[in-house]
């Protein structure tokens, strides 16, 4: 009788463990698929913005180059307010975008992972 009870308890515990880990793996797989879909959607969204010459602002989870947000495309101005360059999207990757800052005597490229983009504000187009 005691050995039968032990076997039932052992099988119940094993079934619970399998159910728990099986459900967790399915949740993890679902989250990975959703992440891929979200990343693909962002890539398509950014490419449309670039193709339509849209103006938009990126808000970051962690500041990029000391900025909490970045309006693109934008003009680069000197201290007197004169325009000395432009910032624009140079590349839309599968999980990142790169911004070119092109001006008089300088060019810099900053790539931003989608995971650091907290919010996008889009203005027309």
């Amino acid at each position: 009788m005691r050995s039968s009870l032990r076997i039932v308890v052992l099988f119940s515990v094993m079934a619970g463990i399998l159910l728990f880990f099986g459900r967790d793996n399915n949740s993890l797989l679902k989250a990975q698929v959703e992440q891929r879909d979200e990343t693909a959607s962002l890539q398509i969204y950014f490419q449309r913005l670039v193709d339509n010459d849209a103006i938009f602002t990126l808000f970051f989870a962690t500041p990029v180059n000391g900025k909490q947000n970045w309006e693109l495309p934008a003009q680069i101005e000197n201290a007197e307010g004169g325009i000395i360059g432009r910032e624009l999207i140079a590349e839309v990757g599968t999980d990142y975008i790169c911004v070119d800052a092109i001006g008089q005597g300088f060019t810099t490229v900053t790539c931003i992972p989608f995971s650091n983009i907290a919010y996008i504000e889009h203005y027309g187009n």
Side-chain angles (χ1 to χ4, degrees), residues 71-100:
E71 185 176 301
L72 295 165
Q75 298 175 341
I76 302 171
E77 298 178 354
N78 61 17
E80 293 79 36
I83 298 170
I84 61 169
R86 293 194 44 81
E87 295 172 320
L88 50 106
I89 299 293
E91 179 183 353
V92 177
T94 56
D95 61 352
Y96 65 92
I97 61 168
C98 294
V99 178
D100 270 355

Side-chain angles (χ1 to χ4, degrees), residues 28-105:
L28 179 60
L29 179 60
K30 183 179 176 187
Q32 289 171 342
V33 169
E34 287 173 357
Q35 178 65 33
R36 262 197 317 268
D37 292 345
E38 182 179 316
T39 299
S41 296
L42 275 175
Q43 181 183 21
I44 291 166
Y45 179 73
F46 279 122
Q47 193 58 57
R48 284 184 185 153
L49 290 175
V50 171
D51 292 345
N52 292 323
D53 296 319
I55 298 171
F56 56 97
T57 302
L58 302 175
F59 294 85
F60 305 119
T62 303
V64 174
N65 296 341
K67 298 179 181 181
Q68 225 20 74
N69 58 56
W70 203 340
E71 185 176 301
L72 295 165
Q75 298 175 341
I76 302 171
E77 298 178 354
N78 61 17
E80 293 79 36
I83 298 170
I84 61 169
R86 293 194 44 81
E87 295 172 320
L88 50 106
I89 299 293
E91 179 183 353
V92 177
T94 56
D95 61 352
Y96 65 92
I97 61 168
C98 294
V99 178
D100 270 355
I102 304 168
Q104 299 169 349

